[in-house]
Amino acid sequence: MRAVREGEVPPDGGTAVQEDPDRPVFRGNGPDDYVCVQCGTVLAESMAAVHMTKKVRVRCGRCSTVNVSVIDGWELRKG
Ligand SMILES: [Zn+2]
């Protein structure tokens, strides 16, 4: 994951807040774990890439960095 750039936040997205740094906010059945760009805390565990778009943002419970998952070109491939 990486930090959010100013102005790129979609209006229909939301930011999840990780309340416990030791527990991922999301847990799925996919191949990838997503960690905080700043401190490496696991924010989302076993996620599929299809679920991790710019609309999914997580504020790290340890360092308060807001992370966004971006797969380059994903928006272009979608649909
Ligand atoms: Zn962090």
Side-chain angles (χ1 to χ4, degrees):
M1 299 181 94
R2 64 166 174 78
V4 176
R5 272 201 299 264
E6 195 173 353
E8 77 171 4
V9 177
D12 58 342
T15 302
V17 178
Q18 184 187 37
E19 295 179 352
D20 183 346
D22 293 324
R23 283 167 49 190
V25 177
F26 301 116
R27 188 164 299 177
N29 297 309
D32 298 320
D33 292 342
Y34 290 82
V35 302
C36 176
V37 67
Q38 194 69 34
C39 71
T41 295
V42 177
L43 301 175
E45 185 178 85
S46 302
M47 298 302 290
V50 67
H51 293 135
M52 302 301 285
T53 70
K54 280 187 181 178
K55 291 180 183 176
V56 179
R57 295 186 301 281
V58 183
R59 183 188 298 273
C60 178
R62 199 178 300 277
C63 72
S64 297
T65 297
V66 177
N67 291 259
V68 61
S69 173
V70 174
I71 297 95
D72 285 342
W74 169 252
E75 290 87 350
L76 300 176
R77 289 200 305 271
K78 188 169 56 177

